[in-house]
Amino acid sequence: MCSAKAYKFETLAVTRPRENVLQVEMNRPDKRNAMNQTFWREMVECFDQISKDGDCRAVVLSGAGKIFTAGNDHLMDMAGVLMSSADSDDPARKAIHIRQTILAYQESFTAIEKCEKPVIAAVHSACVGGGVDMICACDIRLCTSDAWFQVKEVELGLAADVGTLQRMPKIVGNESLVRELCYTARRLLAHEAKEAGLVSGIYPNRERVISAALDMAAKIAKMSPVAVTGTKHNLNYSRDHPVDASLKYIATWNMTMLQTEDIMKAAQAMMAKEEATFSKL
């Protein structure tokens, strides 16, 4: 069983609603789940820990309260960064400090992508700014019928810098739409998000979308963890590399992974018309 007792965070609530499934919930409902400095740090810590948790096989990412997330307060964040670098008058030194801070923010969501377990985002109501960066790093995205998505950064005078501009074009197969959203900061409604491929399912309300995400995670958790981890790793690799290189990579990967005991267990269970039971990683 996947225990959540060891997961203690200030901005995140981690629970185990299903066997081998963890739910990570942004837990600042009174602040509309806005992303503060503690959140940026805890996301890395949380997903690094999940990646190493052999008892966890799938994750659902959700938001507590009335909305999924209002995103990060870039004005406050950048003001803090600029103030902390104000002790130097040299633009180069200021720039190096700001770059280091941005790279640290990026790692907060890259940790989701690098996590060995599939992560399903269950979005309800508003998903703004950093929220879009975050869900673009997830494996699967579901939402409620009243959900909307906004790449808000241009309204604040900056280009999005934590993943949306890099990941969304590879998720949404419409370059024109991606640029429209990023240049105008207009809201993308749920039905548009589904048509564009940003989400794969729409549900009536928060309870239903989280339930659907947990059902999906539970189904994934019953599969071979060796197979699921390998699939996620190679999907990410193939997204960023040519087909020929990706084929060679999966051949090298599977020359070891095809020797897993899970293949025999799966075959035996199929012949017996039973559900296979796999060892943890």
Side-chain angles (χ1 to χ4, degrees), residues 98-119:
I98 292 171
R99 181 177 184 271
Q100 291 171 340
T101 302
I102 294 171
L103 290 174
Y105 287 167
Q106 290 174 352
E107 186 61 26
S108 299
F109 298 151
T110 298
I112 298 174
E113 189 172 76
K114 293 194 301 188
C115 179
E116 293 190 355
K117 321 301 164 60
V119 181

Side-chain angles (χ1 to χ4, degrees), residues 69-233:
T69 179
N72 53 306
D73 189 338
H74 261 301
L75 294 179
M76 293 299 293
D77 282 346
M78 292 314 298
V81 173
L82 293 172
M83 286 179 65
S84 65
S85 62
D87 55 349
S88 173
D89 293 328
D90 180 36
R93 286 174 170 77
K94 286 184 179 180
I96 289 172
H97 178 75
I98 292 171
R99 181 177 184 271
Q100 291 171 340
T101 302
I102 294 171
L103 290 174
Y105 287 167
Q106 290 174 352
E107 186 61 26
S108 299
F109 298 151
T110 298
I112 298 174
E113 189 172 76
K114 293 194 301 188
C115 179
E116 293 190 355
K117 321 301 164 60
V119 181
I120 304 168
V123 179
H124 73 286
S125 188
C127 179
V128 180
V132 179
D133 293 300
M134 180 169 61
I135 67 168
C136 283
C138 295
D139 296 271
I140 300 167
R141 291 160 294 278
L142 309 177
C143 75
T144 56
S145 57
D146 67 342
W148 53 274
F149 307 83
Q150 185 180 25
V151 185
K152 192 177 178 63
E153 282 80 358
V154 288
E155 284 190 346
L156 304 176
L158 68 153
D161 56 10
V162 198
T164 291
L165 303 186
Q166 293 69 38
R167 294 186 176 101
M168 184 181 274
K170 296 180 179 182
I171 296 169
V172 174
N174 185 330
E175 180 83 3
S176 176
L177 176 62
V178 171
R179 289 174 182 262
E180 175 193 343
L181 297 172
C182 295
Y183 295 159
T184 68
R186 82 163 176 87
R187 296 181 180 187
L188 181 74
L189 304 181
H191 71 279
E192 291 182 281
K194 178 115 173 2
E195 290 171 1
L198 181 63
V199 301
S200 55
I202 300 176
Y203 299 85
N205 52 48
R206 179 178 179 274
E207 291 71 24
R208 289 283 296 278
V209 73
I210 291 177
S211 177
L214 290 173
D215 287 345
M216 188 180 296
K219 184 172 184 179
I220 292 170
K222 291 181 180 179
M223 305 298 175
S224 158
V226 171
V228 172
T229 293
T231 299
K232 174 169 181 172
H233 186 85

Side-chain angles (χ1 to χ4, degrees), residues 12 23 33 40 71 81 88 107 151 162 218 226 242 251 255 274 280:
L12 304 171
Q23 182 176 351
N33 294 322
W40 293 111
V81 173
S88 173
E107 186 61 26
V151 185
V162 198
V226 171
M255 71 184 189
E274 298 174 347
K280 66 180 182 180

Side-chain angles (χ1 to χ4, degrees), residues 15 21 31 36-37 48 57 92 109 112-113 121-122 134 162 209 236 238 244 249 253 262:
T15 57
V21 172
K31 300 294 185 180
N36 62 6
Q37 296 295 324
D48 282 355
R57 299 184 184 180
F109 298 151
I112 298 174
E113 189 172 76
M134 180 169 61
V162 198
V209 73
N236 288 343
S238 297
D244 184 60
Y249 190 85
W253 180 276
D262 290 10

